[in-house]
Amino acid sequence: MNTKKVMISKEILDTLDHLSIPDEDKISFFNILINPDVSFMFSVCVKKDNILQTFKCYRVLHNSINGPYKGGFRITPDLNYEELLELSILMTLKNSLLDIPFGGAKGGIVADVKRLTESEKENLIREYAKKLSRYTDEYTDIPAPDINTDEKDMNIFFDEYSKIKGKPVYAIVTGKSPELRGINFRKLSTGYGVAYITDTVIKDFLKNKNVRIAIQGFGKVGKYTFKKLEELGYKIVAVSDSEGGIFSEEGLNFEVVKKIKDNYGSVVEVANLNKNVKILNPDDFIFVNCDVFIPAAKENVITENNAEKIRAKIIVEGANSSTTPEGEEILHKNGKIVVPDILANSGGVFVSYYEWLKGLGVMEISDQEIDNTMKEKLLKSYDKVKKIASEKNLTFRQSALFVALENLYMRAKLRKVI
Ligand code: NAD
């Protein structure tokens, strides 16, 4: 058993000690948690630059004690199996924390989207869907958007899968267009959820009125976190994307940043058009002067090498695994609060559950209703995590894991998995 590569394994092991679980069950439960039920590793052949090329693909189905496997698929050049296993474990825990009847999964294709044409990317997704269609269905595994995949890509996945089956299978993937039984609010949901949690944690822990927020990433998560926080009256002083970051003491305006990003490809261009906005070096972005820092771009951003210099008092993980365990230890030593990914960014999968039900033809829900339901669910989970953290003297991450593992263990026992 290689536990070294799975970062979350130590945190799971530590949390299991706080749960009332018989010793003989602990090791079985731990082994179930750190290993996948099934992993697919395969390749697809697609023409790139008019030459047939091979691309490596993965789909990790971690655990289905709670329900069908659920998780995004990404397209990144440095994708690897260990990263996906870790992220699939997080999906299982996230669903368990919110008590969503889904298990955990994650997948992806090893490719650099910046070097693919639109039609090459489409062909790649079609081949990916084609291969997976041999092994899964809408009651088994339901993919969703992730890094470098969006609504359009989910429509393609749906279309290819449906073609193979000879009928529209709306529930095979979430994050689709509303015209394909998607939910309009889905694309806003993860970011809005991060914003609702951020608003609550600020009210709980920061006394000052003029709170300054920095957001790393202006993709699906970062963009809508910015939008909702601005609507809630907060000042976003800094934002970044893969090209670099920008800072304004007076605060940035969402519509301006979005328009410039859409037109010129990077948020950095805002600084070239407004002299009050400064450009930040991408490597120094996390040290920006702010009260709340929201990593919403990628994994392993806060580590033992940089955590000491972080100025924000609160860190809300918009991205998955953005803080390493060593980085988090330093943050806690310095009195910072870290709201973990499985709580902060779980709005998206919550809304996906409703999209899945809509795809199955089981229920319909309006955007306003789902926004309210999601907010209520997230804030309830936040309160529970905060209460247990205070009662048991745990960090927010340990407490969130405690709730997730307790729910999962209960179900595993009832289903006689352990
Ligand atoms: P995305 O591809 O839409 O956006 C990623 C953003 O990060 C882009 O703006 C990109 O330019 C930026 N970025 C990349 N490298 C960067 C760097 N070094 N510095 C600053 N910015 C950088 O992806 P996304 O869907 O927004 O996902 C972001 C993270 O959130 C991932 O960890 C993903 O797993 C997680 N997440 C996403 C969802 C969802 O619903 N999309 C849900 C839960 C968790």
Side-chain angles (χ1 to χ4, degrees):
M1 174 172 67
N2 189 351
T3 57
K4 247 187 174 164
K5 285 180 179 159
V6 184
M7 274 199 313
I8 188 84
S9 61
K10 184 178 176 310
E11 289 156 317
I12 289 175
L13 204 53
D14 290 347
T15 310
L16 286 178
D17 280 336
H18 293 281
L19 288 173
S20 318
I21 292 184
D23 279 347
E24 63 272 22
D25 279 2
K26 253 181 211 165
I27 195 72
S28 318
F29 191 36
F30 178 69
N31 280 327
I32 286 173
L33 290 164
I34 62 151
N35 289 298
D37 284 351
V38 184
S39 295
F40 297 107
M41 193 184 337
F42 54 99
S43 55
V44 294
C45 290
V46 169
K47 263 195 178 166
K48 179 169 158 35
D49 305 325
N50 276 326
I51 301 165
L52 207 57
Q53 294 198 15
T54 305
F55 294 85
K56 207 169 183 179
C57 302
Y58 301 95
R59 186 77 187 159
V60 181
L61 308 184
H62 173 248
N63 189 284
S64 66
I65 290 172
N66 262 340
Y69 302 101
K70 181 85 186 90
F73 79 89
R74 54 181 60 189
I75 306 180
T76 51
D78 50 1
L79 191 67
N80 62 70
Y81 174 73
E82 282 73 25
E83 168 190 335
L84 290 171
L85 174 57
E86 169 109 21
L87 291 166
S88 68
I89 296 174
L90 285 179
M91 285 307 297
T92 300
L93 295 171
K94 200 181 288 187
N95 287 324
S96 186
L97 171 63
L98 261 76
D99 209 10
I100 303 168
F102 275 146
K106 207 78 175 189
I109 305 170
V110 184
D112 183 354
V113 278
K114 287 189 175 147
R115 302 180 62 191
L116 293 173
T117 64
E118 213 171 298
S119 73
E120 285 166 355
K121 187 183 180 193
E122 173 169 346
N123 292 339
L124 207 47
I125 293 169
R126 285 194 183 278
E127 291 303 312
Y128 185 70
K130 205 181 277 175
K131 280 264 166 92
L132 285 178
S133 73
R134 295 182 194 165
Y135 309 103
T136 66
D137 61 32
E138 70 275 31
Y139 294 101
T140 308
D141 174 32
I142 307 115
D146 200 79
I147 295 180
N148 294 326
T149 53
D150 59 14
E151 184 174 302
K152 204 168 136 221
D153 303 320
M154 298 309 114
N155 293 349
I156 294 168
F157 190 102
F158 155 80
D159 183 58
E160 188 61 36
Y161 186 88
S162 298
K163 264 190 190 133
I164 294 164
K165 300 293 165 184
K167 59 184 177 192
V169 187
Y170 293 113
I172 189 60
V173 64
T174 58
K176 307 179 302 301
S177 300
E179 296 78 10
L180 297 174
R181 300 194 71 73
I183 291 183
N184 220 2
F185 182 70
R186 169 63 184 90
K187 63 173 175 287
L188 312 177
S189 57
T190 306
Y192 275 32
V194 173
Y196 294 141
I197 293 280
T198 304
D199 177 41
T200 309
V201 75
I202 287 173
K203 285 177 178 145
D204 274 351
F205 293 98
L206 288 181
K207 298 287 163 257
N208 53 324
K209 288 261 176 294
N210 190 23
V211 175
R212 295 155 311 149
I213 300 176
I215 303 172
Q216 183 188 48
F218 197 71
K220 293 181 291 298
V221 180
K223 190 192 299 175
Y224 296 113
T225 302
F226 190 145
K227 183 178 187 307
K228 183 45 87 179
L229 282 171
E230 187 179 88
E231 275 171 33
L232 292 172
Y234 289 104
K235 189 156 89 174
I236 314 302
V237 291
V239 70
S240 69
D241 61 23
S242 57
E243 306 294 316
I246 50 172
F247 176 84
S248 161
E249 193 62 59
E250 291 83 50
L252 299 159
N253 175 280
F254 174 74
E255 280 307 328
V256 171
V257 177
K258 181 179 175 301
K259 209 166 161 185
I260 292 176
K261 168 89 179 166
D262 288 348
N263 288 337
Y264 300 102
S266 172
V267 299
V268 175
E269 294 303 320
V270 176
N272 294 331
L273 299 165
N274 181 344
K275 63 176 172 35
N276 293 325
V277 177
K278 290 192 198 93
I279 294 184
L280 297 174
N281 178 333
D283 294 337
D284 294 339
F285 187 78
I286 65 168
F287 310 129
V288 66
N289 194 4
C290 64
D291 303 295
V292 179
F293 178 67
I294 304 179
K298 53 182 198 151
E299 292 82 33
N300 303 330
V301 168
I302 302 173
T303 68
E304 76 259 48
N305 300 323
N306 58 29
E308 198 68 58
K309 281 165 65 188
I310 288 184
R311 295 204 246 179
K313 298 172 196 75
I314 294 174
I315 291 94
V316 182
E317 288 191 318
N320 291 317
S321 298
S322 46
T323 313
T324 66
E326 297 79 12
E328 183 155 352
E329 224 175 287
I330 297 170
L331 294 175
H332 283 299
K333 189 186 77 200
N334 292 343
K336 319 272 186 192
I337 291 163
V338 181
V339 184
D341 43 14
I342 62 167
L343 175 61
N345 69 24
S346 54
V349 69
F350 182 72
V351 174
S352 288
Y353 176 62
Y354 286 85
E355 182 180 339
W356 183 64
L357 295 178
K358 188 176 173 182
L360 291 173
V362 174
M363 77 172 289
E364 302 266 343
I365 190 162
S366 74
D367 279 4
Q368 191 53 58
E369 234 178 313
I370 188 73
D371 188 2
N372 295 340
T373 314
M374 179 191 82
K375 185 174 174 187
E376 196 184 315
K377 183 80 172 180
L378 287 179
L379 298 190
K380 233 181 179 168
S381 296
Y382 171 84
D383 282 344
K384 188 165 184 185
V385 166
K386 192 174 81 170
K387 185 166 170 272
I388 289 175
S390 131
E391 281 171 6
K392 298 191 178 292
N393 196 23
L394 300 175
T395 66
F396 270 30
R397 189 181 310 276
Q398 289 164 335
S399 174
L401 280 175
F402 180 94
V403 178
L405 292 175
E406 193 173 52
N407 285 344
L408 201 63
Y409 176 71
M410 232 161 45
R411 211 153 276 154
K413 266 319 240 192
L414 284 170
R415 294 189 56 194
K416 307 222 180 301
V417 176
I418 299 172

